[in-house]
Amino acid sequence: MPSSTIAIIAIYFGFAALELWRSNLFSKEEQTRDDGIVEAVSMVVLLAFTQPMVLFSSAALAGLVAPEYEGALAGINVFAAIGLFLILDDMMQYWWHRASHTFPWLYNLHRAHHNAKYMSVRLVYRNNLFYYAMMPGIWLSGVLIYLGLGWVYAGYIVVKLLVIIGAHSDVAWDKPLYAIKWLSPVMWVVERTISTPATHHAHHGRHAEDEATHYKGNYGNLLFFWDVLFGTAKITRSYPKSYGVENLAPATLGQQLMWPVFPENKIEKPVGEGATAEVA
């Protein structure tokens, strides 16, 4: 097993153990029977099939289209290589995520992630089974691996998952740091650079009138900087009172996992930005 995979497993289970100790990992407030099923199925399918399939397929397609460029970037500067992943993977994921909250049909592929009425490491991989298969960043990462940057991807994905898992956990690692006065300038930089529990929890907030909620923004995954750069950031250093989605009909288990195979429920109330209430 690659060392990067071992590191990611250790990070995930480390945060899970912290959540088990400090809150309640397996029995969240307002949890339903479907929640555990959606989380288990989507995680297993993504890690065992979708992500390896996409990375392999994109590299194979690149080999068919441009066989002469295999390994062409293997010797570039490590910082330039990291920059390529930040732009072609992380920034593209920002725009994919933002589009998922803009277009109703695409939100149906993403709403399972927000259907949970709690925060937890359990949500990290929770999405419709087709959502990640269509994610541009994973396909572009496969191309970069084909070009010889697999050695960079191995470290990059560990750092990215460390940030994302920490941002979803309901044990907010940033909260005690905000209370330390001399750390305030450091945290000012941190919260504008990477996703933190405060900024990402805001994206999962249930009610728009909650000052700590910002589900029409804070789309960043590894870098919160994309939200700052593209004008979708909201920083409050506080946490929503409740999580989930408002103004939406309940989603069935089938819809959460396999829309459009299983059609969505409809309600008519608009929520702004030219979108329907399916986009929260």
Side-chain angles (χ1 to χ4, degrees):
M1 183 180 294
S3 56
S4 59
T5 302
I6 295 172
I8 291 170
I9 292 172
I11 291 167
Y12 187 88
F13 282 102
F15 273 103
L18 184 62
E19 203 168 301
L20 182 62
W21 172 46
R22 295 289 299 276
S23 58
N24 195 331
L25 178 62
F26 298 110
S27 183
K28 301 294 185 182
E29 187 175 355
E30 298 189 75
Q31 178 178 329
T32 69
R33 179 188 65 88
D34 287 352
D35 286 324
I37 297 173
V38 172
E39 289 154 6
V41 171
S42 55
M43 175 186 283
V44 169
V45 171
L46 171 66
L47 298 180
F49 174 74
T50 306
Q51 187 173 35
M53 180 274 294
V54 171
L55 291 174
F56 175 81
S57 297
S58 59
L61 288 171
L64 291 174
V65 173
E68 68 275 18
Y69 288 107
E70 183 176 4
L73 298 181
I76 70 170
N77 180 275
V78 63
F79 295 105
I82 293 170
L84 286 173
F85 279 107
L86 288 174
I87 293 171
L88 296 181
D89 173 64
D90 197 55
M91 189 182 74
M92 288 301 296
Q93 190 171 353
Y94 164 87
W95 285 108
W96 174 251
H97 190 188
R98 184 169 175 174
S100 299
H101 285 266
T102 303
F103 302 104
W105 69 269
L106 192 50
Y107 185 72
N108 278 314
L109 295 178
H110 180 55
R111 73 162 287 177
H113 188 69
H114 289 273
N115 223 64
K117 296 179 179 179
Y118 49 84
M119 293 303 295
S120 174
V121 297
R122 292 163 43 182
L123 305 187
V124 173
Y125 300 110
R126 175 175 173 152
N127 263 303
N128 182 291
L129 299 184
F130 304 120
Y131 182 77
Y132 290 110
M134 297 171 60
M135 187 177 287
I138 303 179
W139 288 90
L140 291 172
S141 291
V143 173
L144 291 176
I145 291 170
Y146 169 78
L147 293 173
L149 299 183
W151 59 283
V152 177
Y153 184 74
Y156 163 81
I157 199 66
V158 170
V159 174
K160 181 171 182 174
L161 266 297
L162 173 63
V163 171
I164 293 174
I165 293 169
H168 282 87
S169 175
D170 72 355
V171 180
W173 60 262
D174 56 340
K175 189 173 184 178
L177 301 181
Y178 295 136
I180 303 174
K181 188 174 182 180
W182 66 267
L183 273 180
S184 186
V186 176
M187 292 306 295
W188 188 95
V189 174
V190 169
E191 66 192 355
R192 285 163 175 79
T193 305
I194 64 170
S195 292
T196 63
T199 57
H200 196 69
H201 283 213
H203 177 68
H204 283 260
R206 187 184 307 184
H207 299 296
E209 66 267 19
D210 184 341
E211 287 298 319
T213 289
H214 190 46
Y215 56 59
K216 281 292 186 180
N218 291 21
Y219 301 117
N221 288 272
L222 167 54
L223 294 186
F224 187 73
F225 172 73
W226 305 126
D227 286 282
V228 176
L229 180 64
F230 298 118
T232 54
K234 181 177 181 179
I235 300 172
T236 67
R237 296 191 174 184
S238 58
Y239 308 85
K241 296 178 179 66
S242 59
Y243 300 96
V245 289
E246 61 182 345
N247 302 327
L248 286 176
T252 64
L253 177 61
Q255 179 196 343
Q256 290 187 69
L257 284 172
M258 295 189 67
W259 183 90
V261 176
F262 298 94
E264 76 276 15
N265 294 315
K266 297 281 190 177
I267 69 170
E268 297 179 355
K269 184 178 179 180
V271 294
E273 293 196 10
T276 67
E278 283 104 5
V279 186

